[in-house]
Amino acid sequence: MSFAPGTRVTVRNDWPEAKGVKVHIRTPHFVRGKTGRIETLIGEFGDPEFLAIGRKDAPKRALYMVVFDRADLFPGTNAHNETMTADLYENWLEAAP
Amino acid sequence: MSGDHHDHLHTHDDHAPVGATEPRPEYARLERAVRELLIAKGVLTAEDIRKQIELMDSRTPAMGAKIVARAWVDPAFKARLMANAKAAADEMGVDTSNSATVVALENTPERHHVVVCTLCSCYPKAILGVPPAWYKSSAYRARTVKEPRKVLAEFGTSLPEGTEIRVVDSTADMRYLVVPMRPAGTEGWSEDRLAALVGRDSMIGTALADTPKN
Amino acid sequence: MGGIEPFASQPIDRAEHELSEFDKRVDALVNLLSHPSRALMRVDEMRNSIESLPPDEYDRTLYYEKWIHAVAEIMVAKDVIGEEELVLKLADLKEEDGEEA
């Protein structure tokens, strides 16, 4: 699946690190379960969750810059005209309903 | 240039340079043990380490400032920088061979970018040298995504309400270089003169480029 | 770290710190070992190792102390350095420092 710029996407609300397995996740906790939109496709990179444990067979994943309204990420904070971006791998993104 | 250039930006005593913090003895020994074993095994040489440190010492924000100044005066170079910052840096003589992809972000009256790495401390080292201690601090990493306008204000940077603040979290394989806005009153300036206005923090996005002194 | 307390309520210490010779050597080791010509470690592995530090140890450990901890762990895990030879070497250095091994 690939996402075009402007597509609304939701970050998987998944917490592998809470399952007691030693993992390295590059998806910040504060964007999980949140909806933003694709700014751009950055390119294809090895999945850091594999690279972090020294695996040479890390699958390549599309990496997107995703932009969020900051007010959605930290409700209750004064976030007028503030956005934030995170670079997220495709396996963490789902098309938003 | 970088050290001198920044001193006048932050004159408060609490921002004065402080000496290096030495590691605890067990970590000092661990470094020596690992280094000496790697050298004994021929994985690397003492000369490799010396050269690498020399390279690190040669990298200062002055390099980034030259790139920004060139982009201000040369639209074709700016287009190349925005399209592929690593190639544009190579063009300016920066060795980016061991660097992740570098992406330039242009600050405009409509949008101001500020860069943070909430997960660790990713930084465009090939272009700006080693990051400042505050960039690596837990407080900067925790607060910039939560209250960017307040953090910017602490750095002496206040922007109009109408300017979108965009916090860029370098969570993956990109290293971000902010291209600050060219200050007014610099028409016809040479690249060297312009570069002197481009401080390190303006390329992280916590500050603006300096304004010319009368 | 984003939004995480207590850090999200702390002032940002903007003092400029110079790097020590230790800091520079550790940085150099990481760059040399991860350079494509050697490819003996990746920054992803280093982050993984650092994140595995217990939270209290993480908080009191300096930035480059964390890095050398990770380098040592990864080099041993990959058998570039033997665990036993590292332990022996550390004991030698400790004795040299005048501490009881």
Side-chain angles (χ1 to χ4, degrees):
Chain A
M1 159 127 49
S2 75
F3 300 110
T7 306
R8 281 168 50 77
V9 289
T10 301
V11 183
R12 262 171 46 209
N13 195 2
D14 192 10
W15 300 83
E17 56 273 73
K19 292 171 188 161
V21 191
K22 186 176 161 179
V23 283
H24 171 71
I25 306 288
R26 299 297 294 173
T27 304
H29 61 93
F30 57 89
V31 301
R32 295 191 209 171
K34 306 287 186 177
T35 296
R37 65 188 150 72
I38 300 289
E39 177 80 3
T40 181
L41 168 65
I42 294 166
E44 292 216 324
F45 296 88
D47 187 333
E49 293 170 35
F50 288 74
L51 295 172
I53 50 174
R55 293 264 296 264
K56 303 274 184 207
D57 59 344
K60 292 273 185 192
R61 309 248 192 237
L63 179 67
Y64 294 94
M65 180 187 254
V66 182
V67 60
F68 301 88
D69 273 335
R70 271 216 343 97
D72 293 340
L73 300 181
F74 296 97
T77 57
N78 180 13
H80 174 69
N81 205 11
E82 294 173 11
T83 56
M84 106 137 251
T85 70
D87 299 339
L88 303 171
Y89 295 89
E90 58 183 340
N91 55 323
W92 276 90
L93 302 173
E94 291 159 356
Chain B
M1 173 215 86
S2 64
D4 297 337
H5 176 58
H6 283 280
D7 290 344
H8 72 276
L9 291 175
H10 311 299
T11 49
H12 311 296
D13 289 335
D14 56 337
H15 303 153
V18 294
T21 311
E22 293 301 330
R24 286 172 281 174
E26 62 269 35
Y27 285 94
R29 286 193 291 267
L30 185 59
E31 184 276 325
R32 188 175 156 199
V34 168
R35 170 167 45 93
E36 290 184 359
L37 287 170
L38 289 172
I39 291 170
K41 289 169 186 296
V43 173
L44 39 78
T45 66
E47 177 75 356
D48 292 333
I49 296 170
R50 192 186 59 73
K51 280 188 180 154
Q52 186 66 37
I53 291 175
E54 262 179 26
L55 177 63
M56 182 185 339
D57 285 341
S58 73
R59 287 171 166 162
T60 74
M63 198 63 241
K66 274 173 75 171
I67 291 172
V68 169
R70 172 70 55 88
W72 283 347
V73 301
D74 180 347
F77 176 78
K78 183 177 156 192
R80 293 198 294 280
L81 178 67
M82 301 314 294
N84 183 345
K86 208 167 151 170
D90 283 341
E91 210 182 298
M92 297 287 284
V94 181
D95 174 9
T96 58
S97 64
N98 198 23
S99 169
T101 309
V102 184
V103 175
L105 302 166
E106 186 185 14
N107 280 351
T108 66
E110 291 75 38
R111 182 182 289 164
H112 178 93
H113 299 86
V114 56
V115 181
V116 64
C117 178
T118 62
L119 297 175
C120 39
S121 55
C122 300
Y123 190 78
K125 278 183 168 180
I127 297 176
L128 298 183
V130 292
W134 57 258
Y135 184 84
K136 304 184 284 190
S137 71
S138 299
Y140 179 77
R141 291 160 54 204
R143 289 182 56 203
T144 304
V145 291
K146 198 175 174 203
E147 46 182 17
R149 281 188 202 266
K150 202 170 161 202
V151 169
L152 290 179
E154 285 180 25
F155 279 84
T157 305
S158 56
L159 293 157
E161 281 276 302
T163 301
E164 173 192 333
I165 307 275
R166 175 164 287 191
V167 180
V168 176
D169 191 353
S170 36
T171 55
D173 298 272
M174 304 297 109
R175 299 294 172 269
Y176 291 101
L177 176 76
V178 173
V179 180
M181 284 196 288
R182 179 171 175 168
T186 58
E187 293 73 18
W189 281 33
S190 69
E191 274 180 57
D192 281 352
R193 225 176 141 199
L194 287 169
L197 300 176
V198 184
R200 178 196 67 202
D201 294 3
S202 76
M203 293 179 279
I204 301 173
T206 50
L208 308 176
D210 294 354
T211 46
K213 289 189 205 71
N214 291 322
Chain C
M1 267 304 161
I4 292 281
E5 295 295 348
F7 311 111
S9 302
Q10 290 172 350
I12 297 166
D13 175 4
R14 286 169 55 206
E16 299 286 336
H17 292 255
E18 281 172 26
L19 295 190
S20 67
E21 292 305 308
F22 166 85
D23 296 342
K24 290 183 183 185
R25 285 195 300 269
V26 175
D27 196 288
L29 284 176
V30 168
N31 270 285
L32 291 166
L33 293 170
S34 60
H35 193 275
S37 64
R38 290 186 188 80
L40 287 169
M41 63 178 282
R42 293 185 56 100
V43 69
D44 310 86
E45 295 167 277
M46 190 165 87
R47 290 171 182 147
N48 191 34
S49 169
I50 290 172
E51 285 170 6
S52 305
L53 285 168
D56 56 333
E57 181 64 16
Y58 183 97
D59 289 341
R60 68 169 166 260
T61 305
L62 296 173
Y63 187 76
Y64 282 107
E65 287 179 348
K66 289 177 187 140
W67 279 36
I68 194 62
H69 160 84
V71 171
E73 191 173 87
I74 295 163
M75 289 304 106
V76 169
K78 296 194 173 181
D79 218 16
V80 176
I81 293 176
E83 187 164 8
E84 203 181 323
E85 64 178 337
L86 180 61
V87 170
L88 289 172
K89 178 90 183 170
L90 285 170
D92 283 351
L93 295 179
K94 205 168 177 181
E95 205 175 299
E96 214 175 283
D97 281 356
E99 290 185 34
E100 288 289 315

